[in-house]
Amino acid sequence: MKLVNGFDLMDYAKKYHHVLPAFNTTNLEMTYAIARGLMEANLPGYIQISSNNLRLSNPRIISLIAQDAVKTSETPIALHLDHGKSFEDVKACVDAGFTSIMIDASHLPFEENVKECRRAVEYCHFYGIPVEAELGALQGKEEDVVNEAECKTDPDMVADFVERTGCDLLAVSVGNVHGLCLNPKIDIPLLTRIDEISSVPLVLHGGSGIPKEVIWEAKKHGLIKINYGSDLRKEYIRTFGEAYEANHNEHDVIHLSVESVDNVSRKAKELVTMINEN
Ligand code: G3H
Ligand code: ZN
């Protein structure tokens, strides 16, 4: 199957009542591993890469790898730009064949966030690609971005934000955190309030560490996509770290890379299955 359009993926998830995992990749091994995990579970989801991670490669390379990784898939998989930092990144990813986009201007004042998102939406919608935008800010560490101050999503700003940006998914801050240093405390009543107001489905960033029961409850209140980065990166790093600890003369990159694909795909399969158990 080819990479599917993000709108089609969301329609599929709504039709079959799936929560869609969005797994962060960085490189070739993790991209193949994520695709394999989703394919083995036979459950849909996203391969995603953040602007920050594109330093090691570029949108065209990641798009080519992802296209190859999903070519035998029987479950729909989209390729998503995560935490898009600029219109230039958005444009480069759309032009490279990404099928879903996030523009993350949540660090800006409200009006500037709206303006940045609106510009990205106009470009992406011209090519029939959905856009995720973020309102509020998560605490924690997302790759090289550390955010100390949590700023929960204000329900009173949601309707205006979604309307004026034209976004298709809304990433919210309801006690979820980036990374593994802080414990998420998901405010379900706040998520419920936002879901009642929002005309688009909701996204939880910081999936690593959120208990499955909380995800199952959030699914009742608008959750369609949940992002996982740290849980998979940990599996990748652990593979090489354990080998090196065992033998400081370790230099079999191929064997360890294959093992890292096994470990990351196992984690991806475990997570996508867990969030859709209920
Ligand atoms: O956008 C990526 C995710 O929000 C990563 O969050 O590393 O806490 O799973 P996580
Ligand atoms: Zn995130």
Side-chain angles (χ1 to χ4, degrees):
M1 191 186 286
K2 288 172 39 181
L3 286 168
V4 302
N5 175 278
F7 282 119
D8 295 335
L9 183 64
M10 290 200 288
D11 289 344
Y12 185 89
K14 289 170 193 165
K15 181 176 178 184
Y16 295 103
H17 308 294
H18 289 309
V19 174
L20 298 167
F23 293 124
N24 285 85
T25 186
T26 294
N27 55 21
L28 176 135
E29 290 85 352
M30 290 192 77
T31 304
Y32 276 104
I34 292 164
R36 190 203 298 179
L38 292 169
M39 289 156 62
E40 285 183 357
N42 198 29
L43 285 166
Y46 299 83
I47 297 167
Q48 65 178 16
I49 188 163
S50 68
S51 283
N52 178 55
N53 270 249
L54 287 172
R55 290 180 295 172
L56 187 65
S57 59
N58 65 60
R60 291 180 311 288
I61 292 174
I62 292 295
S63 179
L64 282 172
I65 297 171
Q67 288 171 44
D68 187 66
V70 306
K71 66 181 184 294
T72 60
S73 178
E74 292 176 8
T75 190
I77 300 173
L79 178 61
H80 180 78
L81 170 63
D82 182 35
H83 290 291
K85 281 184 177 171
S86 67
F87 177 76
E88 289 68 29
D89 279 358
V90 166
K91 183 178 184 302
C93 288
V94 169
D95 296 352
F98 280 53
T99 58
S100 180
I101 290 286
M102 177 186 190
I103 177 73
D104 183 2
S106 57
H107 56 291
L108 297 175
F110 181 82
E111 287 300 327
E112 288 175 58
N113 187 357
V114 168
K115 187 170 163 239
E116 282 297 301
C117 293
R118 185 73 235 155
R119 188 182 179 205
V121 164
E122 278 166 8
Y123 190 81
C124 293
H125 281 187
F126 182 82
Y127 290 95
I129 290 172
V131 177
E132 175 187 335
E134 183 167 333
L135 186 62
L138 273 65
Q139 251 187 327
K141 184 176 186 306
E142 169 59 19
E143 293 147 4
D144 66 339
V145 179
V146 179
N147 186 21
E148 300 295 341
E150 177 182 62
C151 174
K152 284 190 176 177
T153 302
D154 179 351
D156 295 337
M157 301 171 90
V158 167
D160 186 35
F161 182 76
V162 171
E163 168 70 26
R164 290 173 59 195
T165 59
C167 70
D168 306 288
L169 300 99
L170 180 66
V172 296
S173 176
V174 293
N176 39 327
V177 296
H178 274 132
L180 299 171
C181 300
L182 299 166
N183 292 320
K185 295 181 190 67
I186 306 300
D187 183 339
I188 292 291
L190 176 58
L191 183 73
T192 305
R193 179 91 181 88
I194 294 167
D195 179 39
E196 287 163 355
I197 298 166
S198 175
S199 56
V200 298
L202 307 179
V203 181
L204 280 182
H205 282 237
S208 301
I210 300 180
K212 60 184 177 182
E213 296 78 9
V214 174
I215 296 166
W216 297 341
E217 181 62 24
K219 183 177 176 180
K220 300 173 192 166
H221 307 292
L223 180 70
I224 196 167
K225 173 175 178 277
I226 181 165
N227 288 10
Y228 288 99
S230 303
D231 277 351
L232 272 67
R233 294 191 189 106
K234 222 172 68 178
E235 283 304 296
Y236 181 81
I237 293 168
R238 178 179 65 80
T239 306
F240 290 83
E242 285 178 356
Y244 182 73
E245 282 312 304
N247 169 15
H248 282 204
N249 290 324
E250 177 62 73
H251 61 279
D252 185 345
V253 174
I254 289 296
H255 169 76
L256 289 174
S257 297
V258 169
E259 200 176 311
S260 72
V261 172
D262 292 344
N263 291 338
V264 173
S265 67
R266 190 179 309 114
K267 175 57 77 172
K269 181 181 179 182
E270 175 196 308
L271 289 169
V272 66
T273 304
M274 174 194 80
I275 63 176
N276 285 290
E277 269 170 3
N278 204 352

